[in-house]
Amino acid sequence: MIRWLIALLLLASSTSVLALNIQKDNLYPKVELDTSMGKIVVELDRSRAPITVDNFLTYVVRGDYDNTIFHRIIKDFVVQGGGYDPQLKPLPEDKPIFNESGNGLSNALGTIGMARETDPYTATRQFYFNVADNTKLDPSPKRWGYAVFGEVTEGLEVLQKMAQVPTGANAALQWEDVPLSPIILKKATLLPAP
């Protein structure tokens, strides 16, 4: 009996994930990020990064990015978020995804990419914005890159303001470059398809 209940729960949870509307037929979905410093709109590129876009949109539609922080900001480099709540608690992650860094999109100013660890197949929920041209994050014949999957279409000035905030070392995260005053991603919303 318990096995049947477990099987039904697993089926129900997998069905609810399949029921998420991530606009599978839209090659260029848009997401609005409402932050404590202003709004940013990104247009995603499913034609070049379908796995990465679907992964990101799954977190967006489930509300998993709501009330998270931008926890790493390096002036003239990146603004990174999506993985921690305002108390610096790491948030649950889905399984890592395939690295789509060889898709022809470059880590140019105003693009969005997936953060990962050293291993190329460790990207889950954290993302970053390039606040400079960071071609050193692109793949080369000798190394994997970081997968770009879209670009900012509105609110680049918001990112540029974020990139200027004071940062410092944080003992809890054991990182440098953590904003001294939290920058909150209040809500991420998948915008209606055109």
Side-chain angles (χ1 to χ4, degrees):
M1 182 69 169
I2 292 177
R3 283 188 213 175
W4 281 103
L5 287 174
I6 292 171
L8 284 173
L9 285 173
L10 289 174
L11 180 62
S13 66
S14 65
T15 307
S16 66
V17 169
L18 292 175
L20 290 176
N21 178 9
I22 59 171
Q23 298 179 7
K24 282 289 224 176
D25 295 333
N26 185 355
L27 287 179
Y28 303 101
K30 289 187 176 184
V31 172
E32 180 183 82
L33 305 172
D34 185 8
T35 80
S36 56
M37 292 187 73
K39 292 186 179 181
I40 301 164
V41 175
V42 291
E43 181 179 78
L44 309 179
D45 191 340
R46 189 177 263 130
S47 70
R48 295 202 186 187
I51 295 167
T52 309
V53 169
D54 286 358
N55 175 71
F56 181 75
L57 289 179
T58 297
Y59 285 107
V60 168
V61 171
R62 288 193 315 222
D64 292 346
Y65 289 132
D66 298 354
N67 300 309
T68 60
I69 61 167
F70 289 94
H71 63 276
R72 180 175 178 235
I73 294 180
I74 303 174
K75 183 179 177 180
D76 299 322
F77 184 47
V78 296
V79 170
Q80 184 174 332
Y84 293 88
D85 71 12
Q87 290 73 44
L88 303 178
K89 177 182 165 195
L91 296 166
E93 302 172 338
D94 293 341
K95 65 180 184 174
I97 60 171
F98 179 78
N99 185 327
E100 294 180 302
S101 64
N103 62 19
L105 298 174
S106 180
N107 280 275
L109 171 67
T111 57
I112 184 172
M114 287 305 295
R116 63 172 174 82
E117 297 173 17
T118 305
D119 183 316
Y121 297 110
T122 52
T124 56
R125 68 178 291 147
Q126 290 188 37
F127 59 90
Y128 63 90
F129 289 102
N130 288 292
V131 291
D133 289 331
N134 295 316
T135 55
K136 62 187 172 197
L137 298 178
D138 293 345
S140 77
K142 296 183 180 181
R143 63 171 162 65
W144 284 92
Y146 291 78
V148 171
F149 62 100
E151 66 182 335
V152 173
T153 58
E154 296 175 38
L156 187 58
E157 70 283 356
V158 174
L159 278 177
Q160 291 168 331
K161 282 193 303 186
M162 286 183 183
Q164 302 300 317
V165 301
T167 61
N170 183 283
L173 295 177
Q174 298 181 1
W175 289 338
E176 303 290 326
D177 308 308
V178 177
L180 299 179
S181 295
I183 300 174
I184 309 293
L185 172 50
K186 297 186 286 188
K187 183 158 185 61
T189 304
L190 175 58
L191 298 177

